[in-house]
Each structure stands twice: as structure tokens, then as C-alpha cells.
Amino acid sequence: MQDFNVWLFDGFETLDAFGPVEMAGALDEEYLPKCYSFFGGIVKSAQHMRVDTLPHTAMDTAGILLIPGGLGTRPLLRDSAYISALSQIAKKAPYVLTVCTGSALLAATGLMDGKRATSNKLVFDWVSTLGGGVTWVRRARWVKDGKFYTSSGVSAGMDMTLGFLYDRHGKEAAEAVARYTEYIWNSDSGNDPFADHI
Amino acid sequence: MQDFNVWLFDGFETLDAFGPVEMAGALDEEYLPKCYSFFGGIVKSAQHMRVDTLPHTAMDTAGILLIPGGLGTRPLLRDSAYISALSQIAKKAPYVLTVCTGSALLAATGLMDGKRATSNKLVFDWVSTLGGGVTWVRRARWVKDGKFYTSSGVSAGMDMTLGFLYDRHGKEAAEAVARYTEYIWNSDSGNDPFADHI
């Protein structure tokens, strides 16, 4: 099994993290979800969930990296030691998945320069001022560019994770997870019903 | 704000709990999600998430009660002290929401006797042998009967919670949450694409 590393911080959006965890964790014996934060210990989501985490220094960087978004991303964008630690880990990860404003954190590392990405539609105009070298895609449920998968807001993370499973394990595996979780999968990464709400 | 009490146990299905938490928590200033377990402390989901909980004796029973499902429900069904504690709390709660096999736990309390309910479609035949007095509805994304909302598997909990918000706070409130979470809401409780997978 490969680690599925979830990068948490205070004020993360609950479903940004746990939607993808459900989808990856539901694929038989492939991924082992583990939660990390900068210092480890209890981290509190924007919806008051208290989640126990390991310190980021304990992470096996051969695992997949998932970065959720949420209001908690804002202060972190200005914390250079934090962004530097995230950068080291994201550089080593074989795949990096972001949900919502998690792509803002990833863009701050500079690793997305010259790459295509998307983000939450309600704050798209703000996000798209960040990471000068990123090509921000407005209409997309999720975007894949090399090893980077970035998704739109909150629930889009589940569609993206199923897309990731599809790319890596095939259609049958992704559809088996959607069936197990009784999830009505929007499997078309270009189908973004929320792009018009900007 | 009203407490939104999440009843957790080892082996709960991650999204069963956190999908509804996201939806209820995203409605401005209405619900305060709080996690409980029988003894309190760290509880581990089926997908290895470690969540900090309060003991059930500390719960404000005037809050909404959410019962997720998951493989962890199986041993609990045979634990009469556990079911008795859940029964006391579910009796007092103004609304009880269950996801997946959470309805099996609720049925074990006897409170659903004479009422309609649904559950996960993959294990529907098993669940429907439980709670002799319950009318199990096979084709339903979710079922409302009085103060009880029961949903199908995993992702159906999000559709149900939005349905609950619709019933209690109106269409505009439910749609605002779906938009904020970029969730493609299946708002028809009778539209159950997974009923045929049984």
C-alpha cells in the first residue's frame, strides 16, 4: 500500500480533505490515508472537526500528497518557512492533489510555474492573482498537468480523486469506488457547473 | 447556534460523517458540529482518520444527531448498553439523521418501529433483516419520516443533509450551501441511481 498523505492545518475545509480520503481509501488495499500537519497534534477544521495528525517531518514522501483548501490557507501563504517545507515535500511526491484554495498554497511554492491549474470558483479572482507563473483555468472541475491535479471547490475534490484513480488504475477501479460510495461521479473534468457563478 | 452532534465509533465510514458535517457546517451560523463517541477520545474511521471526540455523556441532547455507518456498526448492534445509550439520545434529539448502515444502529433502538427508512444499497438485504418493525424502502436516496432522516450509502448523506436544510431553512439556504461547496446536489429524494446495483 502507498501512503496517501493529507496535509492539514487549522481552518482547513472539512470535505476538501475527507472527500478525497474516502475515495482513495475505498480502493481496495491501494492507499493508506495518513494526516499530517506542520507540528503534528490536533488540528481543527473550519467546521470544528478535531483531527489527530503526525508532524510533517515524519512523512514518507514517496506517498501521494493531498492539499485541501479553506480559510486557513490565507495566513500560511505569508509564512515562508511553512511554504518551504511544503515545497520540499511536494517536490518529492509522485503525485500532488489539491482541492479548492489548496492550489493557492501549492502555487506559493513556485512548483506550478509554467503549469495549468484551477481552484475554488467563489474566490477564483483572488487565487488567480497568486503564483505569477501559473496558467489559471477558470472553467474546469479539475485540471491535470503532469504530476499535479488541482480541483475546484470542496466537492470537486471527490470528482478529481476519482479521475486520479481512473488515470492510475483504470475505469473499472474508479467506477467500483463510485459505486461503493454511492457517489454520482461527474467524470468529465471540463464539466464545471460552478464556473458561471464567479 | 444549535449543536450538530456526530456520533462516532471505530470503523465509521469517513464520508458518512464528514459529508453531512460539511453541509450543515457551511450554513452560516446555524449549526456547530461536535464529535462524540461512547467513551470520548480518539476514534479511528474505516479509512484511518483519527478524530478527537467528547464522551457521549457530555452531549447537549437538544442538538441534531447524526449517525454515520460503516463496518464498525456490526459489533455495536450486539452491545445492549451501547444501543441503550444511543436510544436515550436519539429519543431526545429534535432530529436524527443517519447515513448508510447508521440506520441499522438506529433501527436497533426500536425507535424506528412503524417508520419508513432506507440504507446502503450494497448491504440492503442484510440491513432489511434488522429492526423487524421498520418499513425498509429500497429505492430512495433518502427517506424522511417525522424527525428521522435516513439516507442510502456514503455520498447520499450529503444529498440528505441538503434536503434537511431545505426542509428546515428553505430552498435558498440549501442552494447557497450547495453553491458554496460546489456540490452537484441530487435534490430528489426518490432519485436513487444505486438501487439497481443491489
Side-chain angles (χ1 to χ4, degrees):
Chain A
M1 284 176 91
Q2 186 172 22
D3 285 357
F4 189 86
N5 297 317
V6 187
W7 179 273
L8 297 182
F9 42 84
D10 284 326
F12 76 90
E13 189 76 18
T14 306
L15 190 57
D16 286 19
F18 297 127
V21 159
E22 174 71 34
M23 299 303 166
L27 185 60
D28 268 354
E29 301 292 316
E30 287 288 350
Y31 298 107
L32 182 61
K34 291 183 179 178
C35 292
Y36 293 87
S37 63
F38 196 81
F39 293 114
I42 298 289
V43 163
K44 202 171 159 188
S45 82
Q47 288 74 30
H48 310 280
M49 298 293 94
R50 294 167 52 83
V51 183
D52 192 27
T53 66
L54 296 160
H56 77 283
T57 47
M59 191 186 291
D60 176 356
T61 53
I64 312 296
L65 179 64
L66 172 76
I67 310 172
L71 282 173
T73 55
R74 307 283 178 117
L76 300 175
L77 289 167
R78 296 185 298 268
D79 182 338
S80 59
Y82 189 93
I83 296 298
S84 168
L86 177 60
S87 178
Q88 293 306 312
I89 284 169
K91 202 178 289 177
K92 290 182 197 150
Y95 293 97
V96 181
L97 282 60
T98 74
V99 182
C100 197
T101 50
S103 58
L105 277 179
L106 182 60
T109 66
L111 294 173
M112 294 300 290
D113 286 357
K115 300 204 178 291
R116 297 165 68 250
T118 195
S119 190
N120 188 310
K121 295 305 143 62
L122 287 175
V123 295
F124 195 84
D125 290 335
W126 169 71
V127 171
S128 59
T129 62
L130 305 169
V134 182
T135 303
W136 291 102
V137 182
R138 197 169 273 263
R139 183 174 299 274
R141 189 69 170 162
W142 76 91
V143 169
K144 173 186 181 347
D145 193 333
K147 75 174 195 178
F148 298 102
Y149 286 74
T150 55
S151 85
S152 287
V154 197
S155 306
M158 296 182 283
D159 291 330
M160 172 190 71
T161 305
L162 287 169
F164 169 74
L165 298 180
Y166 179 105
D167 293 345
R168 205 165 180 218
H169 305 278
K171 189 181 178 192
E172 212 168 298
E175 288 182 347
V177 169
R179 207 160 46 238
Y180 174 79
T181 57
E182 297 194 14
Y183 184 69
I184 302 167
W185 180 26
N186 172 10
S187 61
D188 176 0
S189 64
N191 178 10
D192 180 9
F194 299 92
D196 296 324
H197 289 304
I198 300 182
Chain B
M1 285 175 90
Q2 186 172 20
D3 285 357
F4 189 86
N5 297 318
V6 187
W7 179 272
L8 297 182
F9 41 85
D10 284 326
F12 76 90
E13 189 76 16
T14 306
L15 191 56
D16 286 19
F18 297 127
V21 160
E22 174 71 34
M23 299 303 166
L27 186 60
D28 268 354
E29 301 293 317
E30 287 289 349
Y31 298 107
L32 182 61
K34 291 183 178 178
C35 291
Y36 293 86
S37 63
F38 196 82
F39 292 114
I42 297 289
V43 163
K44 203 172 159 187
S45 82
Q47 288 74 31
H48 310 280
M49 297 293 94
R50 293 167 53 82
V51 183
D52 192 28
T53 65
L54 296 160
H56 78 282
T57 47
M59 191 186 290
D60 176 357
T61 52
I64 310 298
L65 180 63
L66 172 76
I67 309 172
L71 282 174
T73 55
R74 307 284 176 115
L76 300 175
L77 289 168
R78 297 186 298 268
D79 182 338
S80 59
Y82 189 93
I83 296 298
S84 167
L86 178 60
S87 177
Q88 293 307 310
I89 285 169
K91 202 177 290 178
K92 290 180 196 153
Y95 293 97
V96 181
L97 283 60
T98 73
V99 182
C100 196
T101 49
S103 58
L105 277 179
L106 182 60
T109 65
L111 294 173
M112 294 300 290
D113 286 359
K115 301 204 176 289
R116 296 164 68 250
T118 194
S119 190
N120 188 310
K121 296 304 141 66
L122 287 174
V123 294
F124 194 85
D125 290 335
W126 169 71
V127 171
S128 59
T129 62
L130 306 169
V134 182
T135 302
W136 292 102
V137 182
R138 196 170 273 263
R139 183 176 297 273
R141 190 68 171 163
W142 76 91
V143 169
K144 172 188 182 348
D145 193 333
K147 72 173 195 177
F148 298 103
Y149 286 73
T150 56
S151 86
S152 288
V154 197
S155 307
M158 297 183 284
D159 291 330
M160 172 191 71
T161 305
L162 287 169
F164 169 74
L165 297 181
Y166 179 105
D167 293 344
R168 207 168 180 217
H169 305 279
K171 189 180 178 195
E172 212 169 298
E175 288 182 347
V177 169
R179 209 161 45 236
Y180 174 78
T181 57
E182 298 194 12
Y183 184 69
I184 303 166
W185 180 26
N186 173 9
S187 61
D188 175 2
S189 64
N191 177 11
D192 180 10
F194 299 94
D196 296 325
H197 289 304
I198 299 180

